[in-house]
Amino acid sequence: MVKTDIKYVQKDVHKGKAMFRIFPGLCKGCGLCREKCPEEALSWSEELGVYGTPTVVADAEKCKACRICERVCPDCAIAIERKAKQKKEN
Amino acid sequence: MVKTDIKYVQKDVHKGKAMFRIFPGLCKGCGLCREKCPEEALSWSEELGVYGTPTVVADAEKCKACRICERVCPDCAIAIERKAKQKKEN
Amino acid sequence: MDKTVKIALAGEGGQGVQSVAMILTEAAAMEGKEILYIPNFGVEQRGGVSIAFVQIGDKKIGAPKFKTGDIVIALSDRAVRRVNMYAGHETIFIYDAGIEGVEDDLPEVAQRVLAIPALETANKELHPRVFNVLIMGALIGATHVVTLEKAKEAIEKKLGYKFEQNPKLREMNFKALERGYEMVAGTGVA
Amino acid sequence: MDKTVKIALAGEGGQGVQSVAMILTEAAAMEGKEILYIPNFGVEQRGGVSIAFVQIGDKKIGAPKFKTGDIVIALSDRAVRRVNMYAGHETIFIYDAGIEGVEDDLPEVAQRVLAIPALETANKELHPRVFNVLIMGALIGATHVVTLEKAKEAIEKKLGYKFEQNPKLREMNFKALERGYEMVAGTGVA
Amino acid sequence: MKVLPKIPKSWNLETKPHKFCPGCGHGLILKALGQVIDELGIQDRVVFGCDIGCSLLSWDFFNVDSVQTHHGRTTPVMVGIKRANPELVVVAYMGDGGGYAIGSQHLVNAATRDDKITVLLVNNTNYAMTGGQMAPTTMPGQKTETTPYGRDVSEAGYPMMGPEMVAAISQDGAYVARGSVARFRKLKEYIKKALENQMAMRGFSFVETLSTCPTNWRTNAEQTWAFLEDEMTKQYPPGELKTPTGKEG
Amino acid sequence: MKVLPKIPKSWNLETKPHKFCPGCGHGLILKALGQVIDELGIQDRVVFGCDIGCSLLSWDFFNVDSVQTHHGRTTPVMVGIKRANPELVVVAYMGDGGGYAIGSQHLVNAATRDDKITVLLVNNTNYAMTGGQMAPTTMPGQKTETTPYGRDVSEAGYPMMGPEMVAAISQDGAYVARGSVARFRKLKEYIKKALENQMAMRGFSFVETLSTCPTNWRTNAEQTWAFLEDEMTKQYPPGELKTPTGKEG
Amino acid sequence: MGEKPIKGEQKAFMTGNEAVAWAALAAGADIMYGYPITPQNEIMQYWTRLAPKYEKKFLQTEDELSAGFTTVGGVLAGRRAFTATAGPGNVLMQEPMSMAEAMRIPTVVVVQQRGGPSTATVIYSQQEVTLTCFGGNGEGLRVVYSTSSHQELFDYTIKAFNTAWKYRFPTFVLADGYQAKMRESLVLYDPQEKGQKMVPTEAFVGKPGTPGEDRAPAHLRNTYNIEEELMDELAKDIKEYEEMTPEITEYEEFNTQDTDVLIVAHGIVFRSVAMAARELAEEGLKVGYFRPITLRPFPRQELQKAAAKAKQILVVESAYGQLLKMVKDNLYGLDVPIKGYLRPGVGITPEEVVADVRTILGEEE
Amino acid sequence: MGEKPIKGEQKAFMTGNEAVAWAALAAGADIMYGYPITPQNEIMQYWTRLAPKYEKKFLQTEDELSAGFTTVGGVLAGRRAFTATAGPGNVLMQEPMSMAEAMRIPTVVVVQQRGGPSTATVIYSQQEVTLTCFGGNGEGLRVVYSTSSHQELFDYTIKAFNTAWKYRFPTFVLADGYQAKMRESLVLYDPQEKGQKMVPTEAFVGKPGTPGEDRAPAHLRNTYNIEEELMDELAKDIKEYEEMTPEITEYEEFNTQDTDVLIVAHGIVFRSVAMAARELAEEGLKVGYFRPITLRPFPRQELQKAAAKAKQILVVESAYGQLLKMVKDNLYGLDVPIKGYLRPGVGITPEEVVADVRTILGEEE
Ligand SMILES: Cc1ncc(C[n+]2csc(CCOP(=O)(O)OP(=O)(O)O)c2C)c(N)n1
Ligand SMILES: Cc1ncc(C[n+]2csc(CCOP(=O)(O)OP(=O)(O)O)c2C)c(N)n1
Ligand code: SF4
Ligand code: SF4
Ligand code: SF4
Ligand code: SF4
Ligand code: SF4
Ligand code: SF4
Ligand SMILES: [Mg+2]
Ligand SMILES: [Mg+2]
C-alpha cells in the first residue's frame, strides 16, 4: 500500500466532541471492535473493507469516544480524534 | 570376565564375627571406600587390582563390619559377610 | 468429452474458490470421471489469492499443473493478475464484471475474454453467499465437465445438512447454479 | 637418520604412554626434527589400551598411521594383543618381561622380540612412577631418534616445576631414562 | 492535511494491511510492541526476529531491522546477535509451538543462562500456521486437527505453563509475565518492562501473550473474545510472574 | 562353594569390571538401580536406555534389554518404546549434558506431557565423556575445559536446577527427587519410588543424582567426596521435590 | 486389533496425505509419531481421526528429532511404527534416521518434499532427494521409494513396511507437496486380502523371558570403540544392502529400445515426462523414458541398459541436479550426452518437457 | 581489539584443533559459538583459553542447532563468527546451515569428521563429505575446503573467513579426527603481515541510522509464498555460485601428463596417496594423483583434464564412495575405468595404496 492517499471515512461522534474515523483499506471486518464497545455503538457499515467484508461505523449518539475500539483493532483501522483536545493543542 | 573362578582375598574381621572379602579383579583402587570407612580400618594392600593399582584391605581389629565400604564401592569389589548371621541361617 | 478439461479458478481467500472445486470434483467423481484437483497454498494464504487447479477427463490425469488452462476464472483484481499467465490461445478467460482496473492485466492471447456480472447478480438477485455457486454454474456452462444434475447432487451432498434446517437455501443455491450456467451459456462460448 | 622412524607405544590407561610420546616428540621438536604424533582414542578409553603413534624424521611426515612400525612397545598383556599387528619383518618388538600369558600373542614376524624387565626395575630400583620414563629411555636406546640430552631437556621442560620442589625427582627421572636406554642398548638391537 | 491511520511510527505502513487474518491477536501484540519501540525511542537499534509460525508473517511488519528465522530457532539467532553486539535490543517473536515445543531447549537454556534478550511468545493454543494442530498450550478437551476428539490429557499431555516454567528456572534479574491481547494496556506495560529489562542488562525477559486465532478456533468475534477471556484465562492466569526486584503474582 | 562378588542379580557379570573410571559415581547409581530391579522383580520387563555421555559405557552393563541411543535422545527413544508397549518398564539413563542441554526439549515436554517413563539423570557438573567441558550443571566458578578460568555466570550462565524445573512443570502424579551417590540408601529409595511410580502408571518420574567424576575433576578420593558432599550439595540440595501425593522437601 | 479398516477394493477420491494414512492402516501400522509440517500435516490429521477406531495410537512429539527417535523406540518395541515429515523437518529427521541406519532399525518415514533450502516454500519440490537418500553422517544404507500417484502412495506405503521389516533398513516413501495436497482417484484395498502378506514384526527389546537366564539380553548400540570394529559392522551392512539390491530395485521404462532422447525422471515429474514422451512417440519421434522407482538402491543396471541405446539423455527434475548427479554416477563409463532440465522448487508441465525435447531434437515448436 | 595474537612467522608443534583456534584468532574472528563433540573439542578449549586475552568472545550453547543458529546471529550482527562440529553434530548443523545457505549468510564451520553413521566412533573418517557438501534440503550452495595438514588447517581456516565474507556462501573447513588430534609442525602467521587482506565484515542488521527514515529496514527472510519466487531466488544464487566457481576452486596434481593410474583422494588420505604415488613414480611407474582441495565447488575441468590422460582412475577414501560419486558425476562422459579403494571409517596407509596400485598394474607385491 502506498503511503499517500489512504482512504478513510469519518464521522462526528460524542456530540461532536470527537471524530470516529475508519480506514477501509485496513479494516478486515473481524468484528473484534464491535464486541468490545462498551456502548454498543458500532455496527456494520455499507463501506467494504480490504477483504470485501463490511467495515464498522460508530453511532454518533451512543459513541463516547472512549477509544476502546481503536485500541482493540488489530489492524489499526480505527482512529478516534478528540476534537476538544485538538483545539487546545492548536 | 568369566563367571567362574573369580579371584578373591578374604580375611576375618570384627573379632572373627565377619569376613572382609575383596575381589581384586573388580577393584580399581579408587579409594572411595577408604575415605568412607568410619573406623579408618581400610588401608592399601599389596594385592594389585584390575588396573594394576593397589586394592584395599581391612584391619581385623578396627573393622566393625558395618558394610559402608561395601556399599560405597562403585565396582562391587568388596563383600562383607557376617558370620553370626550365616550360622543362624544354616 | 474425450479431452481432459483444464480449469484454473482464482479468487480472494474468502470467496469460496476451493469449495467450488471440491463440489465440482465431487460431482465429476460421481460421474465416474478421472479427476485431479490441486489447490495452491502458501504460507501467506491468509491474505493471498487462492487458486484451484482442476482437471477432469476420462483418462487418468497426467501432471497436476498445466501451462495453459482450457478455462481460467478470476474473481478479483489480484486474481486476474495472478492467473492471466494460464491463458493461451485456446483459453476461455472469465472474470467478474465488477472488477475494476484490470484492463491492462487481461490476457491478450485468450480465445475469448468474458466479463460476467456474477457478483452483482449474486448480491442483487440472490445472496452474496452463493456467489461461488453461481461461479460454479458459469464454469459448468463453459465446460460441461459435469451435468447440472450431478452438480446439484454434489451440492446436496456437501450442504444437505444445512438445507435440512433451511430448505430455502437449497433453492437459492440451485438457482445460483442455474443463473451462472445461463450467463455463460448465453455467450455461446461452450 | 635419513629414514622416518615409526613408533607404536601401547599400555594401559594409567601407564603414561601418552606422556612419554609428548616428551619424546617435544625433544625431537627441539632438535628441529619433523614429527607426527597421534594418540589413539575412543569412547572407552577409560578402561582401554592407550596407544601413541609417533613418527620422527627429517622430512615432512606423510600419513599419520602406518601398517608396520620400526619399533613397537607394549606394556601390558592387552597392549601386546592390541599392537602385535603393527609388527613386520623389520620391527623391533619390545614388551615388559613381567607380562604373563602372552606367549602366543607375540608377533611371529618381528626382526627381534625383546622382553625387558622395565616394571621390575622401576619398582625395585627406582619408583613405580618413573616406569614410563624408563620406557622412554628404552625407546631412545632402540631408535636414537633423539639424544639422551635433548630428552632430559624435554623432561626438564615438562616436569621442571615439580623438580623445583623436589630435586630428587629429577635425579630419579634421569636415572630411569638412562636405565631404560642401557637395557636396550645392551641387547644390541640399535 | 494528510490523514494517516494511527499506527505506531515503527510500523511499516507500506506492508499494511498486514498479513494476519481478520481478528488475529498477532496484530495487537505487534501494535503494543510498536508503541513500546516508539516510546523507548529504540527503532534504530531494535532487531526483531520472527519464528516460523504465523509470526513469520511479520517479517516485513516493522520499520526496524528484522530477520525471519527457522521454526523454534529465533531464540538462538537472537542470542547470537546479542552476544555479538550487545548494543542492539533484540526481540525474539514466536508462537507457542516454536517456543515450548521445538525450541524449548533454547528457551530453557537461554533463560537459565540469563541471556539479555527479550522473548515474546504468542499463546494461541494451537499450531496456527500449519492449519490448527495441537500445541503444547492446547487446552484440555480442546479440539484441534490432531486432537479431533478433544485433547485427552492422559494421552496427549497437559498444557505447558510457560511463564511459570521460565519464572522457576530464570535468575534474579529476569522479568517474566503473561499478558493477554484482551488487556492491551497491561500487555504493553509488560512488553515495555521486558525491553527495559534488557536495555538495563538486568537479565532475561519473557512475556507470553494469550492471543486470538479465530481462523483455527473457527470462532466469530463474540466467541473469539469469550474463548480468550473465559476459557484461556482460567487455564493461563495473566500477570507478572517475576520482576527483577523480586517475585510477584 | 563358588564365591561370587555381591553384585545385583540384574548386573551382567561378564562385562565386569565395568568401563567407568576408578571412583566414578556411575557405578554406584547403576548398583542402586540394579538392586531396585532385583527387588521389584522386573528384570524381564525393564528396558534400559543409555545416552551418549559416560552413560553409554553402560550399554552392556545389565542383564536387561538395553539400548544405547544418541546424545540427548534417550528420552524420546524410551517414550517411543513405552507408548508402543506400556507393559515394559523403561529407564532413560543420561548425563546432565544429555538431559539439560541437548535433550532438554525432550525432558521438558515428556515431563509436561506426563509420559510414564523414568528418567535417571547423572549430575557430575561436567561433560565427562568428551573430556570435561562445562555442563549446564557446572558450578559457579568451577574450572572446566571450556571455562578454563572458572565458570563466570554472567557470561557462561547459571547452573541448571533440573529437579526444581521438572517439579515446577510436571503433573500431580509425577515423582521428582535429587539423590546423591554419597547417600546410597536414600538414592536407592528414590530410584525405587521412581520405578514404582511408573509401574503404577501414575506419572512421569525423574531422579537426578549428584555423582562423582574424579577423572575430570582431577581429584583424589578425599577431594572427590569433599567436592560432592560439601560443594555440590550446597548448590544442589538432595531430597524429594515432588511425590505423587503432594510436595515435600 | 479392531475391525479391518478396508474391506474389498474401494475406489476413492482423496488427497495423497489421506491415501498415506489409509495405507498405513491397511498395512497394520500400530502407531504413528509425528510433528506437524506442511505439506505433510493431513497424514497426521487423518491418522488421528482414524486411529482410535482401529485401536491404533498416535503421539504428537515436541519436534522432528523426537518424532524420529520415538519412531525408533516404537520399532524397538516391535511395533510397525512410522512418521512423516518434509523440508526442514526432514533435515532434522536425519539424526534419528542415522541411528536407525546404524542399528538396522526398520523405521518407515513418509517425506512430502517442499521447497528448499531452509523454510523456503511449503509447497513443492524434488529437492530432498539427496537428503533422503544420503542424509546423515553415513553411507545412505536406506531404501527410498519415489511415488508418482496416489495409487502408488498407497501401494508403496504398504510395501515400505514390508521392505523395512524384511531387510531392516530404514525405508522412506518420497513424495511431494503436490502429491500430498492434490486429490485424485485410487483404489484402496487390504493387502492381506490380495494375498500380499505383511512381514511380521519382532521386538528388539522386551521379548519374553528373563535376560541372562532364559535368553541373552539385547544389548543394542551404535557406538564403537575402535575404527576397525566400525568398519566390520559397516562391511556387513553394506554387503547385505548390496545383496538385497537386485531384489528390491524397481523402475519403469518406455520406448527404450532405440531412442534419440531418453528422458529420466522420478516422482510426480515423471508424470509430465510420461505424457510428453508418449505424445512425442505417437508423433513417431524416438523418445522414451526411464523412471527409477527406488532411488535407493538405484536401478543401475537397468538404467545402464536403457541408456546405452540412447543418443541423448535428458534428466528432468524439480531440483538443481539431484537426480542428475545420481544418473551420472550410475551411468559413468557411457558417453551418451546428458542434459538436465532443472527447475528447483517448481512444478514441471508436460508442455515444457515436450518443448525441451523438441529443442534437443532440433525442431522448432 | 587487543594486541595481535601472532607476530612474525612462528614455527609451532601442536594439534590440528589448536591450529584451528590460532587460525581463527589470526583471521580476526570475533566470536565462537560451539557445542562439545569429539574430535573437535580442543578447538573450543584452546579458543576459551586464548579468547579473553584478545577480547574475543565465546558461547557454549545447548546443542549444535543452537551453535549453528547463534553463529548465524553473530554473522548477522556483522561479526566474523564461527563454530566447529563433527559427526552427529554435523548432522544437526545442517539445519542452521540450510538457513545460512538460503540467506547467503557467511558462516564458517570447521568439521572434524568422525566415524558414521550415528554416534559410531569418535575417531576418524571421511564419511561427512556428502553431508558437508550437500547437507540440508537444498542444492549445496556452499564452499567446502578439505585440508590435509596442520599448515592447511591454519591457512584454509583463515581463507574460509575471506571466502565466506566475499561471496556470502556458508563455508566449511573439512578435516577429520586424525588431523584434529595429531601433532605436527606448522608455521603460524598473521595474514595481514603477509599482505593477505581480510575481507571486511558488514552488519546485516543494526546498521547506523533509523530504518524507514535514514535507510531501508533490513527485512531478511528465507520463506517464500509462491514457487516461482523461490525459483528466482535460487536461480540468482546458483548463477552467482557458478560465477564464483572458477575463482575459488583449488586442487593439486602430480604426474598427470600420461598416467597408467591416476589416484584421486582428498584430505588426510591424500597424504598416503601422495606418498604412494611418489614412491611408485620414483620406481618409474606411471602413477599420478589429483587432489581436489575444494570439494564444493569441485574442480571439474581440472580433474577432467587430468583424467582424460589416464588409463585407470583409483579413488581412495575413508568412506564408502562419497568422493567416488563426486568423481563420477564430474567425469561423466569419459570412459576411463574408475575403481574405488573404499575404507569407511578407517585410516589408509601409504602401504595399502601402493599395494592396491600394484594390483591394478598387475604386479605382485
Ligand atoms: C523444523 C520444522 N518443523 C516443522 C515446521 C512446520 N511448522 C511451521 S509453523 C509450525 C507451527 C507454528 O505454531 P506456533 O509456533 O504455535 O505459531 P502460530 O502459527 O500458532 O502462531 C510448524 C509446526 C517447520 N517449518 N520447520
Ligand atoms: C549430537 C551430538 N553432539 C555432541 C556429541 C558429543 N558428546 C558426547 S557425550 C557428550 C557430553 C556428555 O556429557 P553428559 O551428558 O553430562 O554425560 P557425562 O559424560 O558427563 O556422564 C557430548 C557433548 C554427540 N555425541 N552427539
Ligand atoms: S475496525 Fe478493526 S477491529 Fe473493527 S472490524 Fe475492522 S479490522 Fe476488525
Ligand atoms: S470509541 Fe468507545 S464508544 Fe465509541 S465506538 Fe469506539 S468503543 Fe464504542
Ligand atoms: S574396593 Fe571399590 S571403592 Fe575400594 S578402592 Fe577398590 S574399587 Fe575403589
Ligand atoms: S565394613 Fe565398615 S568398618 Fe569395616 S572396613 Fe568396611 S567401612 Fe570400615
Ligand atoms: S491462523 Fe490464527 S494465528 Fe495465524 S494469522 Fe490467522 S488468526 Fe492469526
Ligand atoms: S570420566 Fe568421569 S563420569 Fe566418565 S567414567 Fe570417568 S569418572 Fe565417570
Ligand atoms: Mg501457536
Ligand atoms: Mg555430565
Side-chain angles (χ1 to χ4, degrees), chain F residues 11 22 50 66 78-79 87 98 122 131 145 159-160 163 173 192 198 229 231 244:
Chain F
W11 274 30
C50 58
S66 307
M78 300 330 271
V79 165
E87 299 292 302
V122 181
E145 287 295 332
M160 172 83 76
K192 194 166 189 174
Q198 178 184 166
E229 296 184 274
E231 316 274 322

Side-chain angles (χ1 to χ4, degrees), chain H residues 53-83:
Chain H
K53 298 185 189 154
Y54 303 101
E55 288 165 42
K56 306 297 188 181
K57 292 184 194 174
F58 174 74
L59 177 66
Q60 187 175 319
T61 58
E62 55 276 16
D63 60 13
E64 287 86 355
L65 300 171
S66 184
F69 282 106
T70 48
T71 303
V72 162
V75 170
L76 289 174
R79 304 292 189 248
R80 255 182 222 103
F82 76 109
T83 187

Side-chain angles (χ1 to χ4, degrees), chain G residues 81-313:
Chain G
F82 75 109
T83 188
T85 193
N90 195 9
V91 175
L92 294 174
M93 194 56 73
Q94 297 310 313
E95 200 206 1
M97 288 312 113
S98 76
M99 174 166 155
E101 187 174 325
M103 298 170 81
R104 305 284 300 270
I105 298 169
T107 48
V108 170
V109 181
V110 179
V111 174
Q112 301 287 26
Q113 296 167 94
R114 51 186 260 174
S118 188
T119 318
T121 76
V122 300
I123 309 171
Y124 162 84
S125 86
Q126 296 189 313
Q127 297 178 283
E128 296 171 43
V129 166
T130 307
L131 182 67
T132 309
C133 291
F134 297 104
N137 58 334
E139 307 289 351
L141 301 184
R142 307 133 173 237
V143 176
V144 180
Y145 291 110
S146 172
T147 63
S148 73
S149 70
H150 286 16
Q151 192 62 57
E152 288 187 355
L153 261 179
F154 187 81
D155 298 345
Y156 284 99
T157 299
I158 294 172
K159 191 177 262 187
F161 285 101
N162 278 345
T163 304
W165 282 94
K166 180 162 179 202
Y167 299 102
R168 307 273 169 119
F169 289 102
T171 301
F172 296 78
V173 178
L174 183 71
D176 56 67
Y178 286 176
Q179 294 189 64
K181 295 277 187 175
M182 74 190 197
R183 284 170 191 271
E184 68 175 359
S185 62
L186 75 161
V187 175
L188 308 180
Y189 55 83
D190 179 316
Q192 321 258 19
E193 277 182 19
K194 290 185 81 173
Q196 187 181 341
K197 257 195 73 182
M198 292 309 295
V199 175
T201 63
E202 191 194 336
F204 288 68
V205 293
K207 288 188 184 170
T210 302
E213 290 175 16
D214 313 317
R215 62 176 175 87
H219 282 153
L220 311 175
R221 61 166 170 163
N222 54 53
T223 309
Y224 300 93
N225 201 33
I226 298 175
E227 289 163 273
E228 286 76 14
E229 255 184 307
L230 170 65
M231 205 191 65
D232 290 349
E233 188 64 37
L234 284 174
K236 189 185 120 282
D237 293 343
I238 289 169
K239 186 163 163 284
E240 291 181 23
Y241 189 85
E242 291 179 348
E243 279 167 4
M244 162 192 79
T245 294
E247 294 174 31
I248 68 156
T249 43
E250 293 188 40
Y251 66 100
E252 198 177 322
E253 63 183 348
F254 165 73
N255 224 5
T256 53
Q257 282 318 306
D258 164 30
T259 41
D260 286 339
V261 179
L262 177 72
I263 319 178
V264 184
H266 76 101
I268 192 113
V269 168
F270 161 71
R271 287 166 66 148
S272 295
V273 163
M275 284 175 77
R278 291 223 181 77
E279 181 181 326
L280 293 162
E282 270 172 33
E283 287 180 22
L285 296 171
K286 292 183 179 171
V287 176
Y289 65 69
F290 185 94
R291 169 206 175 194
I293 296 174
T294 44
L295 294 179
R296 278 294 281 162
F298 197 88
R300 177 193 293 250
Q301 270 131 39
E302 295 81 357
L303 176 59
Q304 281 178 350
K305 227 178 104 193
K309 289 169 255 159
K311 290 212 182 57
Q312 166 79 45
I313 293 169

Side-chain angles (χ1 to χ4, degrees), chain A residues 20 37-39 41-42 58 62-69 80:
Chain A
F20 175 94
C37 172
E39 312 295 333
L42 288 170
K62 291 187 190 160
C63 174
K64 297 286 173 298
C66 71
R67 287 201 165 144
I68 287 179
C69 56
I80 310 286

Side-chain angles (χ1 to χ4, degrees), chain F residues 47-91:
Chain F
V47 178
F48 175 79
C50 58
D51 215 70
I52 300 298
C54 286
S55 58
L56 88 82
L57 301 177
S58 62
W59 69 277
D60 60 356
F61 193 100
F62 290 108
N63 265 333
V64 310
D65 286 351
S66 307
V67 49
Q68 171 249 300
T69 78
H70 265 217
H71 184 42
R73 312 304 177 206
T74 306
T75 302
V77 172
M78 300 330 271
V79 165
I81 293 176
K82 185 74 181 183
R83 292 274 174 163
N85 183 357
E87 299 292 302
L88 301 174
V89 179
V90 302
V91 178

Side-chain angles (χ1 to χ4, degrees), chain G residues 63 65 87-88 91-92 94-95 98-103 114-124 126-128 130-131 134-139 141 178 222-228 230-231 234-235 238 242 296 300 313 318-322 324-325 327-338 342-347, chain H residues 63 65 87-88 91-92 94-95 98-103 114-124 126-128 130-131 134-139 141 178 222-228 230-231 234-235 238 242 296 300 313 318-322 324-325 327-338 342-347:
Chain G
D63 59 13
L65 300 172
V91 175
L92 294 174
Q94 297 310 313
E95 200 206 1
S98 76
M99 174 166 155
E101 187 174 325
M103 298 170 81
R114 51 186 260 174
S118 188
T119 318
T121 76
V122 300
I123 309 171
Y124 162 84
Q126 296 189 313
Q127 297 178 283
E128 296 171 43
T130 307
L131 182 67
F134 297 104
N137 58 334
E139 307 289 351
L141 301 184
Y178 286 176
N222 54 53
T223 309
Y224 300 93
N225 201 33
I226 298 175
E227 289 163 273
E228 286 76 14
L230 170 65
M231 205 191 65
L234 284 174
I238 289 169
E242 291 179 348
R296 278 294 281 162
R300 177 193 293 250
I313 293 169
S318 294
Y320 195 68
Q322 304 199 16
L324 180 60
K325 264 203 295 278
V327 167
K328 286 188 177 172
D329 171 27
N330 281 287
L331 292 187
Y332 180 81
L334 297 187
D335 59 0
V336 190
I338 303 185
L342 311 176
R343 306 266 294 162
V346 298
Chain H
D63 60 13
L65 300 171
V91 175
L92 294 173
Q94 298 309 314
E95 199 206 4
S98 76
M99 172 166 158
E101 187 174 326
M103 299 170 81
R114 50 186 262 173
S118 187
T119 319
T121 76
V122 300
I123 308 171
Y124 162 83
Q126 295 190 314
Q127 297 178 283
E128 296 170 44
T130 307
L131 181 67
F134 298 103
N137 58 334
E139 308 289 352
L141 302 183
Y178 286 177
N222 54 55
T223 308
Y224 300 93
N225 202 33
I226 298 175
E227 288 162 273
E228 286 75 14
L230 170 65
M231 206 192 64
L234 284 175
I238 289 169
E242 291 179 348
R296 277 295 281 162
R300 177 191 295 250
I313 294 168
S318 293
Y320 195 68
Q322 303 199 15
L324 180 61
K325 266 203 294 279
V327 167
K328 286 187 176 172
D329 170 29
N330 281 287
L331 292 186
Y332 179 81
L334 297 188
D335 59 359
V336 190
I338 303 185
L342 312 175
R343 306 267 295 162
V346 297

